[in-house]
Amino acid sequence: MSGPSVVFEAIAKQLVKFLSCQVNSRNIRFIPLDNGVGTCLLAAECCHRDILNPTGVIVASAQKTFYIETFGCQMNFHDSEKVVGTLISEGYAQVQREEEADLIVYNTCSIRDKAEQKVFHRLADYKKLQAQGKRFGVLGCVAQQEGEKIFERAPHVSMVCGSASYRNLPQMLVQLEASSAADTTAHPANTAQGGGAASFGNGLVRITGLDDRQTDKCFETEFTARTNPHRGYITIIEGCDKFCAYCVVPFTRGKERSRTSASVLAEARQMADLGYTDIQLLGQNVNSYRDPEGKKTFAELLAAVGEVQGIKRVRFTTSHPRDFGRDIVEAIDAVSTLCDHVHLPVQSGSTRLLDAMQRLYTREQYLERIAWMKSAKREISITTDVIVGFPGETETDFEQTLSLLDQIGYDGVFSFKYSARPNTPALRLDDAIPEEEKSRRLEVLMGRQKEIQVARYKKYIGTTCEVMVEGFNEPRRQWIGRTSQNKTLNFTACSEAAPKLGSYVQVRVTGSFPNSLLGEMMV
Ligand code: 5AD
Ligand code: SF4
């Protein structure tokens, strides 16, 4: 090899190793490929707007632009990182406002009715932009749930892609562009001359990716635009086969399917090489993981990720109590990089209600899992999800949930009012709880949990915790840190010893609040 190609390869290698562009406070990182060159994932405002293909050849200058907004859970957030990577690899550049984009994409959540409504409000708010030739895409759970009905409800939408169909996005984008080009020719009034700064026409284009529940494919992509340069997600299992009576997820995310442990570990190593130190394994039921090659159990995979050179913290979410084995606690005991925090949604403290919810465990079985965690070598911080006002929930059932909170002493509870969802078995249940009563129960529960957290967080005053430095709060002049137990620990540090973002420092806890700790960095 000689001349420009040598120079180019050297530059590309440097890019892979060192370059991370600060784009409106989002760090877009370079994903190295097997050949050691790399893929440049950049946004519109970046100094360098060319997209490299896997062989390091410049294939396109970013011209088309997209805006993406994500609703919902961490799975959706991480899906969006992959969607962003895919769009950039297809020659799009990311912008931060709907008005600046050619393609406006919403990655949606339908877990509760409110989340679903938000998306339709957002679509209505920006409908006027269609006249400028902008295209709209709806991705994620609402897309899967509503399917082509979205086109009726929001006719300005051109693309609907369910969460089980993301791997088809590149082809869908090609179709969208082909139809846009044809449409622009067919509707000269909608071109830049007639309708504004449009690169797309606004005729009725309808592109769908709506694989059904039976798909066994995961959304594995080499193009992931991770937004944080130190902590990153890896999806290890998609979909859900549990069919809890209230939950729409099995209908929107398809059947349970796991990636091979080999591919998960390859991604973890790749991230470690890029400088990531904190990895969070994701799945709707992360601990229902089944290696398709049968090489590793979930606990073994967890331990193996924790042993990857350079990785300092490994988290996992969300766990299902039914599949929560003692081997997970044993792995946490054995591998110090596995964080001492487990999120284990209980939903209700009443066995009768757990049965109606089809949760597949009793209060006693749940408590047994908590007992395993409480006997761990390190104190494991436990958090949970609770639903109040499920159909037929009596005052006694609710009291049992409150007593469970007292008994367990959670460090955090995400509590929700039951929301009826399409297709779910709970729709057929009688004895709906009135909205005001749901609100009352939610308030009582949150009040009780706040008291518990006040007492629990106070216990840390006087102790020293290691935190990863995540940010700086300018108005408060405080650094923002996260402990291994996933607690926020805000702290001060003298200006000569200002810590680096992503570094790990020791902090002495001096104060506490219901949801966070306060401290001073040790020097
Ligand atoms: N209504 C209210 N909360 C729900 N969740 C899931 N489905 C519903 C619903 N229909 C909650 C559960 C779950 C969390 C992610 O959302 O607590 O653990
Ligand atoms: Fe929904 Fe239950 Fe599956 Fe969790 S386990 S995603 S709550 S159906």
Side-chain angles (χ1 to χ4, degrees):
M1 211 188 317
S2 65
S5 56
V6 172
V7 173
F8 179 78
E9 186 162 338
I11 293 170
K13 280 187 176 153
Q14 290 303 311
L15 284 173
V16 172
K17 282 264 173 269
F18 305 116
L19 199 63
S20 77
C21 291
Q22 198 68 44
V23 180
N24 288 354
S25 79
R26 289 162 65 93
N27 254 326
I28 307 295
R29 305 225 73 193
F30 286 76
I31 309 297
L33 294 148
D34 290 336
N35 62 10
V37 180
T39 299
C40 171
L41 303 180
L42 302 175
E45 299 84 345
C46 182
C47 50
H48 175 107
R49 295 182 61 204
D50 299 319
I51 308 298
L52 307 185
N53 77 2
T55 53
V57 175
I58 295 174
V59 290
S61 270
Q63 289 166 340
K64 304 162 283 183
T65 52
F66 73 97
Y67 167 88
I68 187 166
E69 188 166 345
T70 307
F71 300 83
C73 62
Q74 287 149 318
M75 291 284 284
N76 263 16
F77 178 81
H78 184 46
D79 282 345
S80 285
E81 293 183 328
K82 295 195 261 184
V83 168
V84 169
T86 303
L87 281 161
I88 292 175
S89 75
E90 294 292 320
Y92 284 76
Q94 187 172 11
V95 295
Q96 303 301 323
R97 292 172 59 236
E98 272 105 335
E99 287 81 358
E100 297 162 6
D102 298 318
L103 175 64
I104 297 162
V105 175
Y106 296 115
N107 187 3
T108 62
C109 168
S110 66
I111 195 99
R112 283 168 291 276
D113 187 52
K114 243 191 195 165
E116 184 180 329
Q117 294 318 321
K118 251 192 210 167
V119 175
F120 286 105
H121 286 143
R122 195 68 97 250
L123 281 169
D125 288 348
Y126 289 98
K127 187 176 187 301
K128 56 182 183 294
L129 296 182
Q130 191 204 13
Q132 297 169 21
K134 296 183 190 302
R135 292 283 194 219
F136 290 81
V138 177
L139 314 183
C141 292
V142 175
Q144 189 70 36
Q145 177 190 298
E146 296 298 305
E148 300 195 353
K149 280 190 266 170
I150 291 179
F151 296 129
E152 287 158 34
R153 212 163 149 186
H156 54 300
V157 170
S158 299
M159 182 170 75
V160 170
C161 178
S163 19
S165 309
Y166 288 139
R167 66 183 188 290
N168 303 326
L169 257 183
Q171 298 94 291
M172 294 174 70
L173 289 168
V174 169
Q175 279 177 288
L176 185 68
E177 282 166 31
S179 63
S180 298
D183 181 55
T184 303
T185 322
H187 300 273
N190 296 325
T191 61
Q193 196 187 12
S199 59
F200 293 124
N202 71 351
L204 284 183
V205 176
R206 298 185 162 178
I207 292 153
T208 51
L210 296 166
D211 282 6
D212 64 15
R213 236 201 82 71
Q214 295 316 318
T215 184
D216 54 5
K217 301 271 180 358
C218 290
F219 181 29
E220 288 200 42
T221 170
E222 59 191 336
F223 305 114
T224 303
R226 289 198 163 84
T227 50
N228 181 310
H230 313 293
R231 314 171 59 198
Y233 296 118
I234 301 182
T235 301
I236 65 165
I237 175 170
E238 294 184 31
C240 177
D241 288 345
K242 294 283 192 293
F243 288 95
C244 299
Y246 50 81
C247 187
V248 77
V249 168
F251 305 95
T252 58
R253 285 197 163 260
K255 76 173 180 201
E256 222 161 73
R257 51 210 190 272
S258 300
R259 289 172 61 186
T260 63
S261 57
S263 108
V264 172
L265 280 166
E267 191 169 350
R269 286 189 202 106
Q270 220 172 36
M271 287 173 67
D273 285 348
L274 281 167
Y276 288 85
T277 58
D278 182 325
I279 287 181
Q280 186 157 348
L281 303 184
L282 286 184
Q284 231 70 47
N285 291 305
V286 75
N287 59 330
S288 307
Y289 175 80
R290 297 280 172 278
D291 186 350
E293 293 175 348
K295 288 188 186 155
K296 291 203 189 304
T297 63
F298 171 65
E300 287 165 352
L301 176 60
L302 206 51
V305 175
E307 278 156 5
V308 168
Q309 187 83 35
I311 296 304
K312 286 176 74 88
R313 286 183 175 178
V314 181
R315 307 176 185 281
F316 53 100
T317 196
T318 291
S319 297
H320 193 289
R322 164 87 177 208
D323 295 331
F324 193 89
R326 203 168 193 157
D327 56 348
I328 298 174
V329 181
E330 286 163 0
I332 295 175
D333 275 346
V335 183
S336 62
T337 48
L338 302 190
C339 288
D340 36 3
H341 168 236
V342 172
H343 184 67
L344 197 63
V346 66
Q347 314 300 357
S348 169
S350 152
T351 294
R352 192 188 75 82
L353 217 67
L354 288 171
D355 186 46
M357 289 176 165
Q358 299 172 24
R359 284 292 286 176
L360 315 173
Y361 56 84
T362 61
R363 175 185 174 109
E364 288 65 38
Q365 286 167 332
Y366 183 86
L367 284 170
E368 186 185 28
R369 280 137 183 83
I370 298 292
W372 297 339
M373 286 190 258
K374 295 220 164 174
S375 62
K377 289 185 192 155
R378 287 176 283 165
E379 186 199 14
I380 295 180
S381 169
I382 307 167
T383 54
T384 199
D385 293 345
V386 170
I387 296 176
V388 298
F390 185 76
E393 183 188 60
T394 62
E395 196 53 41
T396 312
D397 294 320
F398 179 60
E399 283 296 331
Q400 287 180 15
T401 299
L402 295 179
S403 82
L404 191 86
L405 300 191
D406 292 338
Q407 193 171 343
I408 292 175
Y410 290 109
D411 279 337
V413 173
F414 297 89
S415 46
F416 310 101
K417 290 191 272 184
Y418 167 72
S419 166
R421 304 311 295 133
N423 305 315
T424 57
L427 282 181
R428 293 191 293 272
L429 297 177
D430 298 329
D431 301 328
I433 308 297
E435 204 49 40
E436 318 77 72
E437 180 57 14
K438 283 190 211 169
S439 301
R440 186 193 71 79
R441 289 182 191 176
L442 189 70
E443 214 155 287
V444 170
L445 186 137
M446 291 194 318
R448 179 77 68 92
Q449 180 56 26
K450 188 172 173 188
E451 285 168 21
I452 293 169
Q453 278 177 225
V454 165
R456 286 193 60 80
Y457 275 60
K458 220 177 234 167
K459 282 191 328 178
Y460 291 91
I461 296 178
T463 65
T464 300
C465 297
E466 185 182 64
V467 299
M468 184 209 244
V469 184
E470 291 195 335
F472 184 68
N473 181 328
E474 189 63 58
R476 293 194 177 164
R477 309 292 304 156
Q478 276 174 355
W479 293 92
I480 303 162
R482 184 175 302 271
T483 70
S484 166
Q485 288 196 335
N486 208 31
K487 293 186 171 71
T488 301
L489 170 43
N490 299 313
F491 63 97
T492 49
C494 56
S495 49
E496 306 87 70
K500 278 206 188 101
L501 292 185
S503 66
Y504 292 81
V505 298
Q506 300 291 326
V507 176
R508 199 169 60 83
V509 180
T510 54
S512 72
F513 301 98
N515 286 303
S516 66
L517 298 167
L518 192 64
E520 290 161 359
M521 190 173 109
M522 313 270 285
V523 276

